[in-house]
């Protein structure tokens, strides 16, 4: 891929470009992974909040013993 982007570059330049492309690729993967983890955590927190609110509503509607 580096040679496609820089066909006239030397081997040293190609190595540098390839390393840069590799680094950018892994940074993009890390960003998507962090976004997915954050979304999963937020969804779990929302589900827990809904579950607790439902349980509280049910407890309030029960007659006192």
């Amino acid at each position: 891929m580096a040679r496609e982007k820089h066909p006239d570059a030397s081997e040293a330049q190609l190595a540098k470009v390839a390393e840069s492309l590799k680094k950018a690729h892994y940074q993009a993967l890390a960003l998507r992974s962090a976004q997915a983890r954050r979304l999963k955590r937020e969804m779990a927190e929302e589900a827990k909040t809904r579950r607790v609110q439902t349980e509280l509503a049910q407890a309030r509607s029960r007659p006192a013993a």
Side-chain angles (χ1 to χ4, degrees):
M1 184 144 165
R3 188 166 300 282
E4 293 171 6
K5 292 187 178 271
H6 304 282
D8 298 329
S10 68
E11 290 301 315
Q13 290 171 325
L14 287 175
K16 191 172 182 179
V17 169
E19 184 61 31
S20 178
L21 291 170
K22 180 179 172 183
K23 183 177 179 182
H25 171 71
Y26 282 110
Q27 286 177 333
L29 288 177
L31 175 62
R32 288 197 304 263
S33 176
Q35 289 170 333
R37 287 191 311 271
R38 183 173 38 255
L39 180 61
K40 183 178 177 182
R41 184 187 69 241
E42 289 172 354
M43 290 176 66
E45 289 172 355
E46 289 173 7
K48 182 178 180 182
T49 300
R50 283 192 304 272
R51 189 171 53 248
V52 168
Q53 288 174 343
T54 300
E55 290 175 7
L56 286 173
Q58 289 173 348
R60 288 183 187 130
S61 66
R62 291 185 198 131

Coordinates of all heavy atoms in Angstrom, one line a residue:
M1 N 0.8 -1.2 0.0 CA 0.0 0.0 0.0 C 0.9 1.3 0.0 O 0.5 2.2 -0.6 CB -0.9 0.0 1.2 CG -1.9 1.1 1.3 SD -3.4 0.6 1.9 CE -4.2 2.1 2.3
A2 N 2.0 1.2 0.7 CA 2.9 2.4 0.7 C 3.4 2.7 -0.6 O 3.5 3.8 -1.1 CB 4.0 2.1 1.7
R3 N 3.8 1.6 -1.4 CA 4.3 1.8 -2.7 C 3.2 2.4 -3.7 O 3.6 3.2 -4.5 CB 4.8 0.5 -3.3 CG 5.6 0.7 -4.6 CD 6.4 -0.5 -5.0 NE 7.4 -1.0 -4.1 CZ 8.6 -0.4 -3.9 NH1 8.9 0.7 -4.6 NH2 9.5 -0.8 -3.1
E4 N 2.0 2.0 -3.4 CA 0.9 2.6 -4.3 C 0.8 4.1 -4.0 O 0.5 4.8 -5.0 CB -0.4 1.8 -3.9 CG -0.5 0.4 -4.3 CD -1.7 -0.3 -3.8 OE1 -2.6 0.4 -3.2 OE2 -1.8 -1.5 -3.9
K5 N 0.9 4.5 -2.8 CA 0.8 5.9 -2.5 C 2.0 6.7 -2.9 O 1.9 7.9 -3.2 CB 0.5 6.1 -1.0 CG -0.9 5.5 -0.6 CD -1.2 5.9 0.9 CE -2.5 5.4 1.3 NZ -3.6 6.4 1.0
H6 N 3.2 6.1 -2.9 CA 4.4 6.8 -3.2 C 5.3 5.9 -4.1 O 6.3 5.3 -3.7 CB 5.2 7.1 -1.9 CG 4.4 7.8 -0.9 ND1 4.2 9.2 -1.0 CD2 3.7 7.5 0.2 CE1 3.5 9.6 0.0 NE2 3.2 8.6 0.7
P7 N 4.9 5.8 -5.4 CA 5.6 4.9 -6.3 C 7.1 5.2 -6.5 O 7.9 4.3 -6.9 CB 4.8 5.0 -7.6 CG 4.1 6.3 -7.5 CD 3.9 6.5 -6.1
D8 N 7.5 6.5 -6.4 CA 8.9 6.9 -6.7 C 9.8 7.0 -5.4 O 10.9 7.4 -5.4 CB 8.9 8.2 -7.4 CG 8.2 8.2 -8.7 OD1 8.3 7.1 -9.3 OD2 7.7 9.2 -9.1
A9 N 9.2 6.5 -4.3 CA 10.0 6.7 -3.0 C 11.0 5.6 -2.8 O 11.0 4.5 -3.4 CB 9.0 6.6 -1.8
S10 N 12.0 5.9 -2.0 CA 13.1 5.0 -1.7 C 12.6 3.9 -0.7 O 11.5 4.1 -0.1 CB 14.3 5.7 -1.1 OG 14.0 6.2 0.1
E11 N 13.4 2.9 -0.5 CA 12.9 1.8 0.4 C 12.8 2.4 1.9 O 11.9 2.1 2.6 CB 13.9 0.7 0.4 CG 13.9 -0.2 -0.8 CD 12.5 -0.8 -1.1 OE1 11.9 -1.3 -0.2 OE2 12.0 -0.7 -2.2
A12 N 13.7 3.3 2.2 CA 13.6 3.9 3.6 C 12.4 4.8 3.7 O 11.7 4.7 4.7 CB 14.9 4.8 3.8
Q13 N 12.1 5.5 2.7 CA 10.9 6.3 2.7 C 9.6 5.4 2.7 O 8.7 5.7 3.4 CB 10.8 7.2 1.5 CG 11.9 8.3 1.5 CD 11.9 9.1 0.2 OE1 11.8 8.5 -0.9 NE2 12.2 10.4 0.2
L14 N 9.6 4.4 2.0 CA 8.5 3.4 1.9 C 8.3 2.8 3.3 O 7.2 2.6 3.8 CB 8.7 2.3 0.9 CG 8.5 2.8 -0.6 CD1 8.8 1.6 -1.5 CD2 7.1 3.3 -0.8
A15 N 9.4 2.5 4.0 CA 9.3 1.9 5.3 C 8.7 2.9 6.3 O 7.9 2.5 7.1 CB 10.7 1.4 5.8
K16 N 9.1 4.1 6.2 CA 8.5 5.1 7.0 C 7.0 5.3 6.8 O 6.2 5.4 7.7 CB 9.3 6.5 6.8 CG 9.0 7.5 7.8 CD 9.9 8.7 7.7 CE 9.6 9.7 8.7 NZ 10.5 10.9 8.6
V17 N 6.7 5.4 5.5 CA 5.2 5.5 5.1 C 4.4 4.3 5.6 O 3.3 4.4 6.2 CB 5.1 5.7 3.6 CG1 3.6 5.6 3.2 CG2 5.7 7.1 3.2
A18 N 5.0 3.1 5.4 CA 4.3 1.9 5.8 C 4.1 1.9 7.4 O 3.0 1.5 7.8 CB 5.1 0.7 5.4
E19 N 5.1 2.3 8.1 CA 5.0 2.4 9.6 C 3.9 3.4 10.0 O 3.1 3.1 10.9 CB 6.3 2.7 10.2 CG 6.3 2.7 11.7 CD 6.0 1.4 12.3 OE1 6.3 0.3 11.7 OE2 5.4 1.3 13.4
S20 N 3.9 4.5 9.3 CA 2.9 5.5 9.6 C 1.5 5.0 9.3 O 0.5 5.2 10.1 CB 3.1 6.8 8.7 OG 2.2 7.7 9.0
L21 N 1.3 4.3 8.1 CA 0.0 3.7 7.8 C -0.4 2.7 8.8 O -1.6 2.6 9.2 CB 0.0 3.1 6.4 CG 0.2 4.1 5.2 CD1 0.4 3.4 3.9 CD2 -1.1 5.0 5.1
K22 N 0.5 1.9 9.2 CA 0.2 0.8 10.2 C -0.2 1.5 11.6 O -1.2 1.0 12.2 CB 1.5 0.0 10.5 CG 1.3 -1.1 11.5 CD 2.6 -1.9 11.6 CE 2.6 -2.9 12.7 NZ 3.9 -3.6 12.9
K23 N 0.5 2.5 12.0 CA 0.2 3.2 13.2 C -1.2 3.8 13.1 O -2.0 3.7 14.1 CB 1.2 4.3 13.5 CG 1.0 5.0 14.8 CD 2.1 6.0 15.0 CE 1.9 6.8 16.3 NZ 2.9 7.8 16.5
A24 N -1.5 4.4 12.0 CA -2.9 5.0 11.8 C -4.0 4.0 11.9 O -5.0 4.2 12.4 CB -2.9 5.8 10.5
H25 N -3.7 2.8 11.3 CA -4.7 1.7 11.2 C -5.0 1.3 12.7 O -6.1 1.1 13.1 CB -4.1 0.6 10.4 CG -4.9 -0.7 10.5 ND1 -6.2 -0.8 9.9 CD2 -4.7 -1.9 11.1 CE1 -6.6 -2.0 10.2 NE2 -5.7 -2.7 10.9
Y26 N -3.9 1.0 13.5 CA -4.1 0.6 14.8 C -4.8 1.6 15.7 O -5.5 1.3 16.6 CB -2.8 0.1 15.4 CG -2.5 -1.3 14.9 CD1 -1.4 -1.5 14.1 CD2 -3.3 -2.4 15.3 CE1 -1.1 -2.8 13.6 CE2 -3.0 -3.7 14.8 CZ -1.9 -3.9 13.9 OH -1.6 -5.1 13.5
Q27 N -4.5 2.9 15.4 CA -5.1 4.0 16.2 C -6.6 4.0 15.9 O -7.5 4.2 16.8 CB -4.5 5.3 15.9 CG -3.2 5.5 16.5 CD -2.5 6.8 16.2 OE1 -2.8 7.4 15.1 NE2 -1.7 7.3 17.0
A28 N -7.0 3.8 14.6 CA -8.4 3.8 14.2 C -9.1 2.6 14.9 O -10.2 2.7 15.4 CB -8.5 3.7 12.7
L29 N -8.4 1.4 14.9 CA -9.0 0.2 15.6 C -9.2 0.5 17.1 O -10.2 0.2 17.7 CB -8.1 -1.0 15.4 CG -8.0 -1.6 14.1 CD1 -7.0 -2.8 14.1 CD2 -9.4 -2.1 13.6
A30 N -8.2 1.2 17.7 CA -8.3 1.5 19.2 C -9.5 2.4 19.4 O -10.2 2.3 20.4 CB -7.0 2.1 19.7
L31 N -9.7 3.4 18.6 CA -10.8 4.3 18.7 C -12.1 3.6 18.6 O -13.0 3.8 19.5 CB -10.7 5.4 17.7 CG -11.8 6.4 17.6 CD1 -11.9 7.2 18.9 CD2 -11.7 7.4 16.5
R32 N -12.3 2.8 17.6 CA -13.5 2.1 17.4 C -13.8 1.1 18.6 O -14.9 1.0 19.1 CB -13.6 1.3 16.1 CG -13.7 2.2 14.9 CD -14.1 1.5 13.7 NE -13.2 0.4 13.3 CZ -12.2 0.5 12.4 NH1 -12.0 1.6 11.8 NH2 -11.5 -0.6 12.1
S33 N -12.7 0.5 19.1 CA -12.9 -0.4 20.3 C -13.3 0.4 21.5 O -14.2 0.0 22.2 CB -11.5 -1.1 20.6 OG -11.6 -1.9 21.7
A34 N -12.7 1.6 21.7 CA -13.1 2.4 22.9 C -14.5 2.9 22.7 O -15.3 2.9 23.7 CB -12.2 3.6 23.0
Q35 N -15.0 3.2 21.5 CA -16.3 3.7 21.3 C -17.3 2.5 21.6 O -18.4 2.8 22.2 CB -16.5 4.2 19.9 CG -15.8 5.5 19.6 CD -15.8 5.9 18.2 OE1 -15.8 5.0 17.3 NE2 -15.7 7.2 17.9
A36 N -17.0 1.3 21.2 CA -17.8 0.2 21.4 C -17.9 -0.1 22.9 O -19.0 -0.4 23.4 CB -17.3 -1.0 20.6
R37 N -16.8 -0.1 23.6 CA -16.8 -0.3 25.0 C -17.7 0.7 25.8 O -18.5 0.4 26.7 CB -15.4 -0.4 25.6 CG -14.6 -1.6 25.2 CD -13.3 -1.7 26.1 NE -12.6 -0.5 26.1 CZ -11.6 -0.1 25.2 NH1 -11.4 -0.9 24.2 NH2 -11.0 1.0 25.3
R38 N -17.5 2.0 25.4 CA -18.3 3.1 26.0 C -19.8 2.9 25.8 O -20.6 3.0 26.7 CB -17.8 4.4 25.5 CG -18.5 5.6 26.1 CD -18.0 7.0 25.8 NE -17.6 7.1 24.4 CZ -16.3 7.1 24.0 NH1 -15.3 7.0 24.8 NH2 -16.0 7.2 22.7
L39 N -20.2 2.5 24.5 CA -21.6 2.3 24.2 C -22.1 1.1 25.0 O -23.2 1.2 25.5 CB -21.7 2.1 22.7 CG -23.1 1.8 22.2 CD1 -24.0 3.0 22.5 CD2 -23.1 1.5 20.7
K40 N -21.4 0.1 25.1 CA -21.8 -1.1 25.8 C -22.0 -0.8 27.3 O -23.0 -1.2 27.9 CB -20.8 -2.2 25.7 CG -21.2 -3.5 26.4 CD -20.1 -4.6 26.1 CE -20.5 -5.9 26.9 NZ -19.5 -6.9 26.7
R41 N -21.1 0.0 27.9 CA -21.2 0.4 29.3 C -22.4 1.3 29.5 O -23.2 1.1 30.5 CB -19.9 1.1 29.7 CG -20.0 1.5 31.2 CD -18.8 2.3 31.6 NE -18.9 3.7 31.0 CZ -18.0 4.2 30.2 NH1 -17.0 3.6 29.8 NH2 -18.2 5.4 29.7
E42 N -22.6 2.3 28.6 CA -23.8 3.2 28.7 C -25.1 2.4 28.6 O -26.0 2.7 29.4 CB -23.7 4.3 27.7 CG -22.6 5.3 28.0 CD -22.4 6.2 26.8 OE1 -23.0 6.1 25.8 OE2 -21.5 7.2 27.0
M43 N -25.2 1.4 27.7 CA -26.4 0.7 27.5 C -26.6 -0.2 28.8 O -27.8 -0.3 29.2 CB -26.3 -0.2 26.3 CG -26.3 0.6 25.0 SD -26.1 -0.4 23.5 CE -27.6 -1.4 23.6
A44 N -25.6 -0.7 29.4 CA -25.8 -1.5 30.6 C -26.2 -0.7 31.7 O -27.1 -1.1 32.5 CB -24.5 -2.2 31.0
E45 N -25.7 0.5 31.8 CA -26.1 1.5 32.9 C -27.6 1.9 32.7 O -28.4 1.9 33.7 CB -25.2 2.7 32.9 CG -23.8 2.5 33.4 CD -22.9 3.7 33.2 OE1 -23.3 4.7 32.6 OE2 -21.8 3.6 33.7
E46 N -28.0 2.1 31.5 CA -29.4 2.5 31.2 C -30.3 1.3 31.5 O -31.4 1.5 32.1 CB -29.6 2.9 29.8 CG -28.9 4.3 29.5 CD -29.0 4.6 28.0 OE1 -29.6 3.8 27.2 OE2 -28.3 5.6 27.6
A47 N -29.9 0.1 31.2 CA -30.7 -1.1 31.5 C -30.9 -1.2 33.0 O -32.0 -1.6 33.5 CB -30.1 -2.3 30.8
K48 N -29.8 -1.0 33.7 CA -29.9 -1.2 35.2 C -30.8 -0.1 35.8 O -31.6 -0.4 36.7 CB -28.5 -1.0 35.8 CG -28.4 -1.2 37.3 CD -27.0 -1.1 37.8 CE -27.0 -1.3 39.3 NZ -25.7 -1.2 39.9
T49 N -30.7 1.1 35.3 CA -31.6 2.2 35.8 C -33.0 1.9 35.5 O -33.9 2.0 36.4 CB -31.2 3.5 35.1 OG1 -29.8 3.8 35.4 CG2 -32.1 4.7 35.5
R50 N -33.3 1.4 34.3 CA -34.7 1.0 34.0 C -35.2 -0.1 34.9 O -36.3 -0.1 35.4 CB -34.8 0.6 32.5 CG -34.9 1.7 31.6 CD -35.3 1.3 30.2 NE -34.4 0.2 29.6 CZ -33.3 0.4 29.0 NH1 -32.9 1.6 28.7 NH2 -32.6 -0.6 28.5
R51 N -34.3 -1.1 35.1 CA -34.7 -2.2 36.0 C -35.0 -1.8 37.4 O -35.9 -2.2 38.0 CB -33.5 -3.3 35.9 CG -33.9 -4.6 36.6 CD -32.8 -5.7 36.3 NE -31.5 -5.2 36.7 CZ -30.5 -5.0 35.8 NH1 -30.7 -5.2 34.5 NH2 -29.3 -4.6 36.2
V52 N -34.1 -0.9 37.9 CA -34.3 -0.4 39.3 C -35.6 0.4 39.4 O -36.4 0.3 40.4 CB -33.1 0.4 39.8 CG1 -33.4 1.2 41.0 CG2 -31.9 -0.5 39.9
Q53 N -35.8 1.3 38.4 CA -37.1 2.1 38.4 C -38.3 1.2 38.4 O -39.3 1.5 39.1 CB -37.0 3.1 37.2 CG -36.0 4.2 37.4 CD -35.9 5.1 36.2 OE1 -36.4 4.7 35.1 NE2 -35.3 6.2 36.4
T54 N -38.3 0.1 37.6 CA -39.4 -0.8 37.5 C -39.6 -1.5 38.8 O -40.8 -1.6 39.3 CB -39.1 -1.9 36.4 OG1 -39.0 -1.2 35.2 CG2 -40.3 -2.8 36.3
E55 N -38.5 -1.9 39.5 CA -38.7 -2.6 40.8 C -39.2 -1.6 41.8 O -40.0 -2.0 42.6 CB -37.3 -3.2 41.2 CG -36.9 -4.3 40.4 CD -35.5 -4.8 40.7 OE1 -34.9 -4.3 41.7 OE2 -35.0 -5.7 40.0
L56 N -38.8 -0.4 41.8 CA -39.3 0.6 42.8 C -40.7 0.9 42.5 O -41.5 1.0 43.5 CB -38.5 1.9 42.7 CG -37.1 1.9 43.2 CD1 -36.4 3.2 42.9 CD2 -37.1 1.7 44.7
A57 N -41.1 1.0 41.3 CA -42.6 1.2 41.0 C -43.4 0.0 41.4 O -44.5 0.2 42.0 CB -42.7 1.5 39.5
Q58 N -42.9 -1.2 41.2 CA -43.7 -2.3 41.7 C -43.7 -2.4 43.2 O -44.8 -2.7 43.8 CB -43.0 -3.6 41.1 CG -43.1 -3.8 39.7 CD -42.4 -5.0 39.1 OE1 -41.5 -5.5 39.8 NE2 -42.6 -5.4 37.9
A59 N -42.7 -2.0 43.8 CA -42.6 -2.0 45.3 C -43.6 -1.0 45.9 O -44.3 -1.2 46.9 CB -41.2 -1.8 45.8
R60 N -43.7 0.1 45.2 CA -44.6 1.2 45.7 C -46.1 0.8 45.5 O -47.0 1.2 46.2 CB -44.3 2.5 44.9 CG -43.1 3.1 45.4 CD -42.8 4.5 44.7 NE -41.5 5.0 45.0 CZ -40.7 5.4 44.0 NH1 -41.0 5.4 42.8 NH2 -39.5 5.8 44.4
S61 N -46.4 0.0 44.5 CA -47.7 -0.3 44.1 C -48.2 -1.5 45.0 O -49.4 -1.8 45.0 CB -47.9 -0.7 42.7 OG -47.2 -1.9 42.3
R62 N -47.3 -2.2 45.7 CA -47.8 -3.3 46.5 C -48.4 -2.8 47.8 O -47.8 -1.8 48.4 CB -46.6 -4.2 46.9 CG -46.0 -5.0 45.7 CD -44.9 -5.9 46.2 NE -44.2 -6.3 45.0 CZ -42.8 -6.3 44.9 NH1 -42.1 -5.9 45.9 NH2 -42.2 -6.7 43.8
P63 N -49.4 -3.4 48.3 CA -50.0 -3.0 49.6 C -49.0 -3.3 50.8 O -48.2 -4.2 50.7 CB -51.2 -3.8 49.8 CG -51.1 -4.9 48.8 CD -50.1 -4.5 47.8
A64 N -48.9 -2.4 51.7 CA -48.1 -2.6 52.9 C -48.5 -3.8 53.7 O -49.7 -4.0 53.9 CB -48.0 -1.3 53.7
A65 N -47.6 -4.5 54.2 CA -48.0 -5.7 55.0 C -48.1 -5.4 56.4 O -47.7 -4.5 57.0 CB -46.9 -6.8 54.8

